[in-house]
Each structure stands twice: as C-alpha cells, then as structure tokens.
Amino acid sequence: MHKKITDTQILGVRVSTTGQKEIETEIVTSLYRKHRGLRRLIFTPNSEMLASSVKDREFFKILNSSYLNIPDGFGIRDVDYLEASVYAYHRQAKH
C-alpha cells in the first residue's frame, strides 16, 4: 500500500508536498496501471512559472490541470514551509 499524494497551493497552483520516494512510487504504479489512453501530465513548476501563472490565467489553468506538480527546487518547498510557519505563528498569537 502506498501513501496518498498530498498537495498544497502556492499562489493558487497545486504543488505536491509528498516526499520523493512516495512520488516515485506513485509514478511507477501509475505507469503500470491500465488507463486506456488516459494521459497523465506531470509538471515540475519553478518559482518563475508560479509567478507567471498569476498574470496568465490560461497558464494557471494548465498548471492546475496536471496529475502531479512536483516542485522544481527548494525555493518552492521553502515557500510552503514559510507559509505554514507564518500561519502557525498567527494562530498562536491569537490565543
């Protein structure tokens, strides 16, 4: 049994937060399944792509239409971590 792929949103774009091993397992498992012509798009968005998607709605829709968006580099992962940290800080400050 494999772990479910989890996502977060950065600038409204869905980005995977699952570890590399689980993503590799999901991709390999997906390749072995019989999808009868179903295409699975996998993107590796970087920070420039996410910034471009803010201005270009069509590009935004394309990025969000993928099966997986695997972060390209630590910058995107860091943004997700920082967003979670800021959220936790503000939540704690309200109490």
Side-chain angles (χ1 to χ4, degrees):
M1 183 172 174
H2 60 85
K3 250 178 129 175
K4 184 178 188 232
I5 299 297
T6 56
D7 296 319
T8 190
Q9 287 195 355
I10 299 175
L11 298 177
V13 175
R14 194 176 38 75
V15 179
S16 176
T17 57
T18 303
Q20 180 178 346
K21 188 102 174 138
E22 289 85 6
I23 287 175
E24 289 173 359
T25 300
E26 177 62 27
I27 291 170
V28 170
T29 302
S30 178
L31 289 173
Y32 281 105
R33 292 181 195 142
K34 303 284 185 204
H35 289 293
R36 299 184 187 154
L38 179 65
R39 291 185 182 176
R40 298 268 177 147
L41 296 174
I42 299 173
F43 298 132
T44 56
N46 57 35
S47 55
E48 291 84 6
M49 292 169 75
L50 295 178
S52 293
S53 74
V54 171
K55 295 179 181 176
D56 185 341
R57 296 310 289 171
E58 190 62 30
F59 187 50
F60 175 85
K61 290 177 187 175
I62 291 168
L63 284 177
N64 278 313
S65 71
S66 70
Y67 171 60
L68 278 174
N69 282 330
I70 304 167
D72 182 10
F74 289 103
I76 293 176
R77 291 185 195 113
D78 289 345
V79 166
D80 181 50
Y81 173 77
L82 288 172
E83 281 183 344
S85 297
V86 168
Y87 175 75
Y89 173 79
H90 285 292
R91 239 180 98 193
Q92 184 179 17
K94 288 181 180 180
H95 295 248

